């Protein structure tokens, strides 16, 4: 409905556009909202006098009633033909009004309906210009995470406002590994007695962290009663949502006094100069409208109402000043007819204009997303202290918990650390952070079940004193538990209760004992209880305090070989073969390097082979007597002697171990061998190991039960054939104890089945579990654990190593020595390479300046002939040069010899009947056998002319004729 009107301050005609306002006029939030709406219109048109539209409000009081709010909205739409409705105040009232607005295409703008359930209506004409309650749940959950609280109980009002946020809150808590053991719903009409009864119920639980999501009225009553019954004392932690935190300054002082120490999450509003000026103007306006309400305080709902009105005024101006009419469907005189009312012709345009509205309001930047919601805002974390609140930090979806706004908000760092919060005064006026849980106030001690054992009492031992009717529980597990309890930062009262029947015997298996925790019979279980997967379905375990795993124990036997061939055992076959080949190769290398210059490596072929092998093998005991004169050979021998030294010493040590050290070998090394031969095996009575053995394929007839180390040893001595066992399967802690007593008879072998060791058992979700686990880590890493182990499992003098497996002395293999052989091989090959290069260089004329008609193989054969003769230029033959000269001079068949004074001839190894021109021995080229040696430089044969043949002997020449050479060849 619109009407034209002229204004003295506006030369243009203006159009008054009807807007409905549905508020609870009797509530402070309604009165504050209405005053902010009027102030917003006044401020807006004062600064926009040229606008052609004006908002004309039609105010209806819902009287805090859902039906009255719906009737008021229906009347405004049908009879008032308003273009938009601001309100209603509560989420329950808004639920029905939203549907009316969608049907009539009238935008419903709420500045205080925060329930997430309204979003599910998915109405395009609903604009929530306030903060959705679901936006704060992550801030609350991360506060819980920051203080490492593992449990939290939401206390909420049992209506749409409360129910709408619980699902979001519980999901957010679960994401930070915090459980919600209980949901406390309090009806809006609950009496003080009903509230007290619910709070007393919460006191009997362990959880001490409570999240309150209520309207201010009900929440004020809750905290007043909580303080009276002692729930606002030391050890409790309270967190209030923005429903109360946003209006905290409007609550009575007595209520604030009852909330001392509580934390809260409220919408953050920047404290700017404009904001301070607005507060002054609002205060003046409010007192003019409601002079009796002098204690009223402005809160964020009033600011949202102010900005929502401004946004609506801007949107209506965008739509224009015409066509503000309703298209009526079926006229009706009834003002409550829900089927017959018109549809706003500008509704769609107004909706689009609201979505596109952007401006700077008193709450900061104002913008609406496509779903008609305000964009996520920042939250301030407060601590109720003194006469009001005190800011201790902030939370944003981008940075998490931060101490203050500034450069940190522009970073990508996300924090959930409590160190980013300021100092906090907790309930009870203490600065100590509540641990979040307590032993129930009924005063009962923790009822801790302990298993009854007949064997392995080092872990748990129960003694009954009939005279005093007392039960004493001792053992390794008990001492560890006591040490862990002492390491907790708080005291825990407990009592041990044996899991036994009336006869004092065990009342069941370990699984039965754990199920008693699940059913509530025990508050915990302490003992040698193994952490396995199926048990975790019924209880929570602490961190393990022992080693993990199930292993197999078998008897051992002495495996020393006492036979004539034991000396071959220290080395494997590949090492023997490699060593033998290396000896032969080194002998060959030394022979090659020494043959031309060392008389010890010359002579008949058999003598040379024997000498070479003898030299090589004698280095094994360092008994070689042959001289080595070549530097290359000396280098090879030095490296080889080093290899031989290490090899012989290792052989000696291994052989000594084989002959003297006891070689204990397990009688069984593979579980498949047990299954194949259908051998019997043992396990401890009541242990979960039975399931493992059955899973491996053992039949019940193969399984034997033992209850102590003595019984296990007795079964081993009988043997599988005589009703005993061939192997025992048990957990490593038990195996340690068993080997500590019988270390010389048994050993632990593979396989090892993975388990998580021994742990303490608590009900699922027990808050003691994380604290006990941390304390276990502290105890096991300190000296206390060593003291407990020494007290119960001190090593026996005859058992130096409880965990020793079979002591073995394996044969030495090539993999341990291949590096040494590689070094020796490289040294030998290098020496041969240097020798070959030097030899070929000295006799290069054989290959380069020889008769071209001579084949390569013939030339190589000549080189081998030269190699087989002595190297007379070597210093090793200089002492015999004079004798060599006289022998050569007297040689038969020489016609002329011209020598210099320093010339010497080698002795001829030929007899007196040899040819006149046979170069035997060590004097160079055996030309008597090769015609190619008597050729001219141009390759032409020499016919019956005198030739001079250069010998290998320095300064010596033999002058003869070609006919004599021919004669010699014949």
């Amino acid at each position: 409905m619109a009407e034209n009107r002229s204004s003295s301050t506006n030369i243009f005609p203006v159009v008054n556009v009807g807007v409905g306002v549905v508020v609870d006029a009797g509530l402070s939030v309604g009165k504050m909202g209405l005053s902010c709406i009027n102030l917003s219109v006044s401020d807006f048109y004062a600064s926009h006098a040229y606008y052609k539209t004006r908002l004309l409000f039609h105010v209806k009081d819902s009287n805090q009633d859902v039906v009255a709010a719906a009737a008021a909205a229906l009347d405004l739409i049908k009879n008032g033909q308003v273009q938009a409705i601001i309100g209603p105040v509560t989420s329950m009232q808004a639920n029905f009004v939203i549907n009316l607005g969608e049907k009539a295409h009238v935008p419903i703008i709420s500045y205080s309906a925060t329930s997430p359930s309204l979003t599910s209506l998915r109405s395009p004409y609903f604009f929530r210009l306030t903060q959705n309650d679901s936006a704060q749940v992550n801030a609350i959950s991360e506060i819980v995470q920051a203080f490492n609280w593992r449990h939290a109980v939401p206390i909420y009002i049992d209506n749409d406002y409360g129910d709408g946020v619980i699902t979001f809150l519980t999901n957010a808590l679960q994401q930070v590994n915090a459980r919600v053991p209980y949901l406390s719903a309090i009806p809006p009409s609950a009496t003080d007695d009903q509230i007290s009864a619910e709070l007393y119920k919460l006191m009997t639980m362990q959880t001490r962290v409570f999240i309150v999501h209520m309207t201010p009225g009900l929440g004020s009553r809750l905290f007043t009663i909580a303080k009276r019954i002692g729930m606002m004392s030391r050890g409790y932690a309270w967190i209030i949502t923005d429903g109360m935190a946003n209006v905290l300054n409007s609550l009575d002082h007595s209520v604030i006094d009852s909330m001392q120490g509580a934390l809260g999450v409220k919408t953050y509003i920047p404290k700017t100069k404009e904001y301070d000026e607005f507060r002054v103007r609002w205060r003046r306006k409010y007192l003019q409208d409601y002079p009796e309400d002098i204690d009223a305080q402005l809160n964020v709902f009033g600011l949202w109402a102010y900005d929502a009105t401004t946004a609506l005024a801007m949107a209506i101006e965008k739509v224009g000043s015409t066509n503000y009419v309703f298209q009526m469907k079926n006229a009706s005189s009834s003002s409550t007819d829900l089927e017959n009312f018109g549809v706003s012709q500008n509704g769609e345009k107004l909706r689009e204009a609201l979505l596109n509205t952007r401006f700077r309001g008193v709450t900061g930047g104002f913008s609406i997303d496509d779903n008609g919601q305000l964009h996520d805002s920042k939250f301030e974390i407060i601590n109720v202290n003194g006469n009001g609140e005190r800011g201790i930090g902030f939370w944003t979806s981008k940075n998490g918990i931060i101490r203050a706004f500034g450069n940190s908000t522009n970073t990508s760092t996300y924090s959930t650390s409590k160190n980013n919060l300021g100092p906090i005064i907790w309930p009870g006026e203490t600065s100590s952070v509540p641990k979040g849980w307590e032993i129930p106030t009924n005063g009962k001690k923790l009822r801790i079940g302990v298993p009854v054992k007949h064997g392995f009492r080092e872990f748990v031992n129960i003694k009954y004193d009939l005279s005093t009717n007392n039960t004493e529980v001792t053992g390794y597990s008990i001492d560890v538990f006591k040490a862990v309890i002492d390491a907790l930062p708080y005291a825990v009262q407990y009592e041990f209760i044996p899991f036994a029947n009336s006869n004092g015997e065990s009342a069941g298996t370990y699984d039965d004992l754990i199920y008693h925790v699940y059913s509530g019979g025990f508050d915990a279980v302490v003992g040698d209880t193994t952490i396995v997967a199926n048990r975790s379905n019924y209880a929570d375990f602490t961190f393990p305090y022992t080693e993990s795993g199930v292993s197999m124990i078998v008897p051992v036997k002495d495996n020393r070989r006492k036979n004539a061939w034991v000396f071959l055992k220290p080395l494997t076959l590949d090492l023997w073969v490699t060593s033998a080949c290396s000896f032969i190769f080194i002998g060959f290398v030394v022979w090659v390097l020494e043959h031309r210059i060392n008389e010890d490596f010359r002579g008949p072929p058999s003598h040379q082979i024997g000498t070479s092998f003898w030299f090589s093998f004698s280095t094994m005991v360092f008994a070689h007597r042959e001289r080595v004169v070549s530097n290359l050979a000396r280098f090879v021998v030095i490296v080889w002697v080093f290899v031989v030294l290490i090899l012989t010493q290792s052989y000696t040590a291994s052989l000594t171990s084989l002959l003297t050290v006891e070689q204990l070998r397990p009688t069984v090394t593979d579980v498949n061998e047990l299954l194949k031969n259908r051998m019997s095996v043992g396990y401890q009575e009541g242990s979960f190991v039975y399931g493992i053995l059955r899973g491996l394929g053992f039949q019940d007839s193969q399984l034997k039960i033992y209850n102590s180390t003595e019984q296990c040893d007795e079964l081993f001595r009988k043997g599988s054939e005589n009703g005993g066992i061939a192997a025992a399967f048990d957990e490593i802690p038990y195996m340690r104890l068993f080997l500590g007593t019988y270390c010389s008879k048994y050993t632990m072998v593979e396989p090892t089945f993975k388990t998580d060791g021994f742990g303490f058992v608590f009900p699922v979700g027990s808050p003691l579990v994380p604290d006990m686990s941390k304390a276990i880590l502290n105890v096991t890493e300190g000296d206390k654990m060593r003291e407990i182990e020494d007290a119960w499992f001190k090593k026996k003098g005859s058992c130096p190593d409880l965990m020793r497996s079979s002591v073995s002395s394996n044969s030495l293999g090539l993999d341990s020595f291949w590096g040494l052989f590689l070094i020796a091989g490289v040294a030998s090959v290098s020496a041969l390479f240097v020798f070959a290069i030097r030899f070929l260089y000295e006799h290069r004329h054989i290959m380069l300046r020889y008769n071209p008609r001579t084949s390569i193989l013939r030339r190589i054969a000549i080189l081998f002939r030269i190699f087989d003769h002595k190297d007379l230029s070597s210093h090793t033959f200089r002492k015999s040069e004079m004798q060599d000269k006289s022998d050569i001079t007297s040689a038969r068949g020489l016609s002329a010899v011209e020598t210099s004074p320093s010339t010497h001839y080698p002795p001829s190894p030929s007899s007196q009947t040899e040819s006149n021109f046979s170069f035997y021995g060590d004097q160079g080229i055996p030309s008597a056998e090769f015609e190619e040696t008597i050729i001219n430089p141009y390759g032409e044969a020499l016919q019956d002319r005198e030739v001079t043949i250069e010998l290998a002997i320095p300064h010596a020449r033999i002058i003869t004729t070609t006919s004599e050479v021919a004669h010699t060849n014949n």
Side-chain angles (χ1 to χ4, degrees):
M1 180 177 185
E3 90 183 54
N4 294 325
R5 189 181 67 172
S6 299
S7 173
S8 60
T9 60
N10 191 347
I11 62 175
F12 301 103
V14 296
V15 177
N16 290 327
V17 180
V19 174
V21 179
V22 180
V23 296
D24 291 328
L27 296 179
S28 60
V29 66
K31 292 186 291 186
M32 179 184 57
L34 188 57
S35 67
C36 289
I37 290 172
N38 291 327
L39 184 59
S40 176
V41 170
S42 176
D43 291 344
F44 182 78
Y45 290 119
S47 59
H48 299 82
Y50 56 90
Y51 272 22
K52 298 179 181 180
T53 58
R54 295 291 186 272
L55 300 183
L56 181 63
F57 293 117
H58 301 271
V59 181
K60 296 286 185 179
D61 185 2
S62 64
N63 294 314
Q64 306 177 42
D65 185 76
V66 175
V67 176
L74 181 61
D75 182 58
L76 289 170
I77 294 174
K78 184 175 182 180
N79 300 322
Q81 294 188 358
V82 296
Q83 299 300 309
I85 293 178
I86 300 177
V89 173
T90 67
S91 299
M92 294 180 64
Q93 295 173 4
N95 201 345
F96 184 73
V97 174
I98 292 171
N99 291 322
L100 293 177
E102 182 177 6
K103 189 171 184 179
H105 290 189
V106 173
I108 307 299
I109 303 170
S110 176
Y111 62 87
S112 57
T114 59
S115 175
S117 62
L118 300 179
T119 307
S120 63
L121 298 177
R122 299 183 182 278
S123 172
Y125 289 91
F126 173 55
F127 291 87
R128 190 206 304 271
L129 303 187
T130 181
Q131 194 65 54
N132 191 330
D133 283 337
S134 63
Q136 64 182 321
V137 296
N138 288 329
I140 294 173
S141 65
E142 290 181 7
I143 292 175
V144 173
Q145 181 184 20
F147 293 103
N148 200 29
W149 294 326
R150 296 304 179 191
H151 296 78
V153 173
I155 306 175
Y156 62 98
I157 185 171
D158 192 10
N159 58 17
D160 287 348
Y161 170 71
D163 294 338
V165 77
I166 290 303
T167 301
F168 295 94
L169 180 59
T170 54
N171 289 338
L173 291 172
Q174 290 174 357
Q175 289 177 3
V176 296
N177 297 322
R179 295 183 65 251
V180 179
Y182 179 71
L183 294 174
S184 178
I186 298 179
S189 59
T191 64
D192 289 353
D193 290 339
Q194 290 175 321
I195 296 175
S196 297
E198 183 67 17
L199 292 179
Y200 276 120
K201 182 179 180 180
L202 295 177
M203 289 179 67
T204 62
M205 300 179 182
Q206 289 184 337
T207 305
R208 291 294 180 265
V209 179
F210 304 107
I211 302 172
V212 180
H213 180 66
M214 291 182 171
T215 58
L218 185 60
S220 298
R221 294 169 56 202
L222 175 79
F223 277 102
T224 301
I225 297 172
K227 180 176 177 59
R228 186 175 68 243
I229 66 176
M231 293 184 69
M232 296 302 297
S233 58
R234 185 187 183 98
Y236 286 86
W238 294 83
I239 303 175
I240 59 175
T241 62
D242 63 358
M244 289 188 68
N246 284 336
V247 298
L248 193 64
N249 57 1
S250 301
L251 300 179
D252 189 81
H253 291 296
S254 62
V255 176
I256 294 178
D257 183 65
S258 66
M259 298 173 62
Q260 294 294 303
L263 300 181
V265 174
K266 62 180 294 186
T267 304
Y268 171 68
I269 302 298
K271 302 302 187 290
T272 62
K273 180 180 179 181
E274 292 78 8
Y275 171 78
D276 293 335
E277 293 175 350
F278 174 79
R279 288 185 61 187
V280 174
R281 291 189 293 107
W282 172 86
R283 179 73 175 172
R284 186 183 307 113
K285 171 66 176 175
Y286 187 84
L287 290 178
Q288 289 176 358
D289 297 337
Y290 308 99
E292 73 284 355
D293 197 359
I294 59 175
D295 294 328
Q297 299 290 330
L298 179 65
N299 57 48
V300 70
F301 294 108
L303 301 178
W304 279 325
Y306 183 92
D307 285 346
T309 304
T310 301
L312 180 59
M314 296 177 66
I316 287 180
E317 181 67 21
K318 291 179 182 179
V319 171
S321 58
T322 60
N323 202 28
Y324 286 103
V325 297
F326 276 66
Q327 180 181 356
M328 304 304 295
K329 295 183 178 179
N330 298 309
S332 175
S333 60
S334 174
S335 62
T336 59
D337 189 351
L338 300 180
E339 298 295 333
N340 302 302
F341 56 84
V343 177
S344 173
Q345 297 302 295
N346 275 339
E348 180 65 25
K349 294 180 180 180
L350 183 56
R351 187 184 75 87
E352 293 293 337
L354 280 171
L355 290 175
N356 296 322
T357 299
R358 303 286 188 275
F359 65 95
R360 185 74 181 177
V362 293
T363 58
F366 184 94
S367 62
I368 304 174
D369 62 22
D370 294 337
N371 296 319
Q373 310 280 327
L374 282 183
H375 286 291
D376 289 345
S377 61
K378 306 174 181 67
F379 289 95
E380 183 179 5
I381 303 173
I382 62 172
N383 179 212
V384 181
N385 186 246
N387 295 326
E389 64 189 54
R390 181 169 53 87
I392 59 174
F394 301 91
W395 182 91
T396 68
S397 58
K398 180 180 180 181
N399 300 103
I401 298 175
I402 57 178
R403 184 68 183 91
F405 288 112
N407 295 332
S408 61
T409 58
N410 299 323
T411 66
S412 59
T413 303
Y414 195 92
S415 173
T416 58
S417 173
K418 64 182 179 181
N419 296 328
N420 291 338
L421 297 175
I424 302 173
I425 303 300
W426 298 97
E429 296 184 357
T430 178
S431 58
S432 300
V433 178
K435 62 178 179 289
W437 69 277
E438 292 287 351
I439 301 300
T441 57
N442 53 21
K444 287 184 178 180
K445 299 179 179 179
L446 287 180
R447 301 177 73 253
I448 299 178
V450 293
V452 177
K453 300 177 68 67
H454 296 289
F456 297 97
R457 295 186 176 181
E458 289 82 357
F459 293 96
V460 177
N461 186 27
I462 301 175
K463 295 181 181 179
Y464 298 97
D465 191 343
L466 299 179
S467 60
T468 61
N469 198 26
N470 289 331
T471 302
E472 181 184 5
V473 182
T474 59
Y476 169 75
S477 298
I478 303 301
D479 285 354
V480 173
F481 176 77
K482 292 179 178 178
V484 171
I485 289 294
D486 292 339
L488 293 176
Y490 47 84
V492 176
Q493 301 296 323
Y494 59 88
E495 60 178 340
F496 294 120
I497 302 175
F499 184 55
N501 53 30
S502 57
N503 299 326
E505 298 295 327
S506 176
T509 64
Y510 281 75
D511 290 339
D512 297 331
L513 177 58
I514 294 173
Y515 189 78
H516 270 63
V517 176
Y518 174 76
S519 62
F522 292 124
D523 297 320
V525 168
V526 172
D528 47 349
T529 311
T530 305
I531 305 171
V532 291
N534 64 321
R535 293 176 178 175
S536 64
N537 296 325
Y538 303 96
D540 281 350
F541 289 85
T542 63
F543 285 169
Y545 61 89
T546 63
E547 292 183 80
S548 62
V550 174
S551 189
M552 180 173 69
I553 283 186
V554 297
V556 295
K557 61 181 179 179
D558 190 358
N559 200 43
R560 284 181 292 182
R561 295 186 178 184
K562 300 178 176 62
N563 55 57
W565 304 103
V566 70
F567 67 90
L568 296 176
K569 181 65 177 176
L571 305 183
T572 58
L573 178 62
D574 56 351
L575 185 55
W576 277 116
V577 172
T578 303
S579 300
C581 294
S582 298
F583 278 110
I584 296 173
F585 177 69
I586 294 299
F588 169 75
V589 171
V590 173
W591 174 80
V592 170
L593 300 177
E594 294 289 309
H595 177 66
R596 301 189 70 223
I597 61 175
N598 193 338
E599 288 288 359
D600 291 339
F601 291 88
R602 300 193 61 80
S606 60
H607 174 74
Q608 295 182 45
I609 293 175
T611 300
S612 300
F613 287 168
W614 161 254
F615 176 83
S616 177
F617 283 97
S618 63
T619 56
M620 186 168 53
V621 292
F622 308 104
H624 48 282
R625 296 184 178 180
E626 290 77 11
R627 292 184 308 116
V628 178
V629 297
S630 169
N631 287 333
L632 291 176
R634 288 171 179 173
F635 168 70
V636 172
V637 171
I638 290 173
V639 175
W640 177 243
V641 168
F642 175 73
V643 174
V644 169
L645 176 64
I646 296 177
L647 192 62
T648 54
Q649 293 296 325
S650 301
Y651 173 85
T652 303
S654 181
L655 181 61
T656 302
S657 176
L658 284 171
L659 297 177
T660 59
V661 178
E662 187 179 25
Q663 302 296 303
L664 299 180
R665 299 284 183 176
T667 55
V668 179
T669 58
D670 189 1
V671 67
N672 293 322
E673 182 180 351
L674 298 171
L675 292 169
K676 180 180 179 181
N677 298 325
R678 301 188 62 80
M679 297 180 180
S680 297
V681 298
Y683 69 97
Q684 190 178 167
E685 184 178 11
S687 174
F688 71 96
V689 175
Y690 171 79
I692 295 178
L693 296 177
R694 290 288 294 163
L696 290 173
F698 288 98
Q699 303 299 318
D700 286 336
S701 59
Q702 297 176 259
L703 304 180
K704 307 295 181 181
I705 297 175
Y706 59 85
N707 291 315
S708 64
T709 57
E710 293 78 9
Q711 289 184 9
C712 184
D713 177 59
E714 182 180 354
L715 290 173
F716 270 123
R717 283 190 280 107
K718 288 182 179 180
S720 180
E721 299 81 3
N722 301 317
I725 58 176
F729 290 81
D730 217 330
E731 297 173 79
I732 289 179
Y734 299 120
M735 297 294 94
R736 277 180 169 270
L737 184 60
F738 182 78
L739 290 178
T741 306
Y742 304 102
C743 59
S744 61
K745 300 169 60 177
Y746 307 99
T747 187
M748 190 183 301
V749 297
E750 297 291 340
T752 298
F753 302 95
K754 180 64 177 177
T755 62
D756 287 330
F758 295 164
F760 302 129
V761 184
F762 290 91
V764 174
S766 172
L768 266 175
V769 172
D771 291 343
M772 290 288 289
S773 296
K774 291 180 182 178
I776 287 174
L777 294 178
N778 293 331
V779 171
T780 54
E781 292 175 359
D783 295 333
K784 184 64 177 179
M785 197 68 174
R786 190 179 302 108
E787 294 175 4
I788 297 175
E789 290 179 348
D790 291 341
W792 292 101
F793 309 119
K794 194 170 184 179
K795 299 179 180 180
K796 310 297 189 297
S798 60
C799 300
D801 186 0
L802 300 181
M803 282 298 292
R804 73 174 180 86
S805 58
S806 58
V807 178
S808 61
S809 178
N810 297 324
S811 300
L812 301 175
L814 181 61
D815 53 348
S816 300
F817 297 94
W818 68 269
L820 290 173
F821 289 111
L822 178 63
I823 294 173
V826 170
S828 302
V829 172
S830 300
L832 285 177
F833 180 76
V834 172
F835 174 82
I837 293 299
R838 184 187 298 171
F839 179 78
L840 292 175
Y841 180 78
E842 291 176 353
H843 301 86
R844 58 188 181 279
H845 60 282
I846 300 296
M847 302 299 294
L848 300 177
R849 298 194 299 271
Y850 225 50
N851 189 343
R853 291 175 299 177
T854 305
S855 66
I856 295 297
L857 292 178
R858 196 71 167 174
R859 300 183 187 189
I860 293 174
I862 295 174
L863 289 176
F864 274 110
R865 289 280 185 168
I866 296 174
F867 169 77
D868 190 46
H869 289 73
K870 290 182 179 180
D871 183 3
L872 298 181
S873 63
S874 173
H875 66 282
T876 57
F877 296 117
R878 290 176 183 173
K879 294 181 179 180
S880 58
E881 284 180 351
M882 294 302 298
Q883 181 63 36
D884 294 339
K885 177 181 177 180
S886 59
D887 292 341
I888 295 176
T889 304
S890 59
R892 292 171 42 212
L894 296 177
S895 60
V897 178
E898 297 179 2
T899 66
S900 65
S902 60
T903 301
H904 304 281
Y905 294 91
S908 174
S910 59
S911 62
Q912 295 296 325
T913 59
E914 290 173 339
S915 172
N916 291 338
F917 194 61
S918 298
F919 292 98
Y920 289 95
D922 303 312
Q923 60 185 16
I925 302 174
S927 54
E929 297 182 22
F930 300 102
E931 296 86 349
E932 289 86 347
T933 60
I934 308 176
I935 56 177
N936 65 12
Y938 304 99
E940 298 177 355
L942 300 179
Q943 298 294 332
D944 197 21
R945 65 179 73 166
E946 182 181 89
V947 297
T948 301
I949 301 177
E950 299 286 346
L951 298 179
I953 306 172
H955 313 294
R957 291 185 302 169
I958 299 177
I959 301 175
T960 184
T961 61
T962 57
S963 60
E964 291 175 328
V965 172
H967 178 268
T968 302
N969 288 335
N970 293 330

